[in-house]
Amino acid sequence: MDVEILGVIPARGGSKGVPRKNIYPLAGKPLLSHTIEAAKRSSMLSRVVVSTEDSEIAELAHSERCEVIPRPVELAQDDTPMAPVVRHVLDSLAIKEHYHPEIVVILQPTAPLRRAEHIDESLNFLLERGAASVVSVSTVPGHYHPDWQ
């Protein structure tokens, strides 16, 4: 089955908790690089783009040979929901290229341990079961304070 699947990596420049976290080094490379690499290694993603309003993040994504969709600053605020960010990416690609993926995968840069196999397993799960969506979650140990979760 040939399905067009778009991976969207939302990576804004602002962060109050950990400033500039998406370009902060983790295990020898920027946090964002871990997600770009996993996405590019996925055997199921047809295309991967980074959505950002930040020129330094865009430059990093380009250096990793990843497409960038420039995001308006108003869609890069602390309280911006994910749906308008994804809609902006889809609208931008539809207008510029008449590109309309059948499935969109949101790949947060803040999950650097995610591997290509995890992406592919999730997509296989979605396709095999005919689900409308799939989300990955982890159990948070009870000793963490709610403000840090």
Side-chain angles (χ1 to χ4, degrees):
M1 177 153 103
D2 223 8
V3 179
E4 190 65 27
I5 304 174
L6 174 66
V8 176
I9 304 172
R12 66 188 189 95
S15 174
K16 290 185 178 170
V18 180
R20 310 295 294 152
K21 71 180 170 201
N22 287 313
I23 58 172
Y24 197 81
L26 175 71
K29 56 187 159 192
L31 184 66
L32 176 61
S33 296
H34 294 274
T35 295
I36 291 173
E37 288 175 12
K40 290 175 83 176
R41 287 187 180 131
S42 165
S43 64
M44 297 188 72
L45 294 177
S46 310
R47 186 173 183 177
V48 179
V49 300
V50 170
S51 167
T52 189
E53 86 299 353
D54 186 274
S55 61
E56 196 172 359
I57 290 173
E59 186 178 312
L60 171 62
H62 282 129
S63 76
E64 300 269 346
R65 286 178 257 145
C66 189
E67 266 184 271
V68 173
I69 303 295
R71 187 190 319 179
V73 174
E74 59 270 17
L75 290 179
Q77 304 306 307
D78 286 341
D79 59 350
T80 302
M82 190 55 58
V85 173
V86 173
R87 178 84 268 151
H88 173 264
V89 168
L90 293 173
D91 289 346
S92 296
L93 293 172
I95 291 166
K96 280 176 57 177
E97 305 173 21
H98 303 289
Y99 178 77
H100 303 278
E102 295 164 78
I103 297 173
V104 176
V105 179
I106 301 168
L107 301 164
Q108 299 282 5
T110 50
L113 301 180
R114 175 203 320 99
R115 297 189 316 266
E117 301 82 55
H118 299 133
I119 297 167
D120 293 346
E121 288 169 6
S122 297
L123 285 164
N124 278 320
F125 183 91
L126 177 98
L127 293 167
E128 288 168 5
R129 288 173 176 72
S133 63
V134 172
V135 63
S136 62
V137 295
S138 299
T139 302
V140 178
H143 65 274
Y144 284 109
H145 191 277
D147 288 344
W148 287 93
Q149 294 186 33

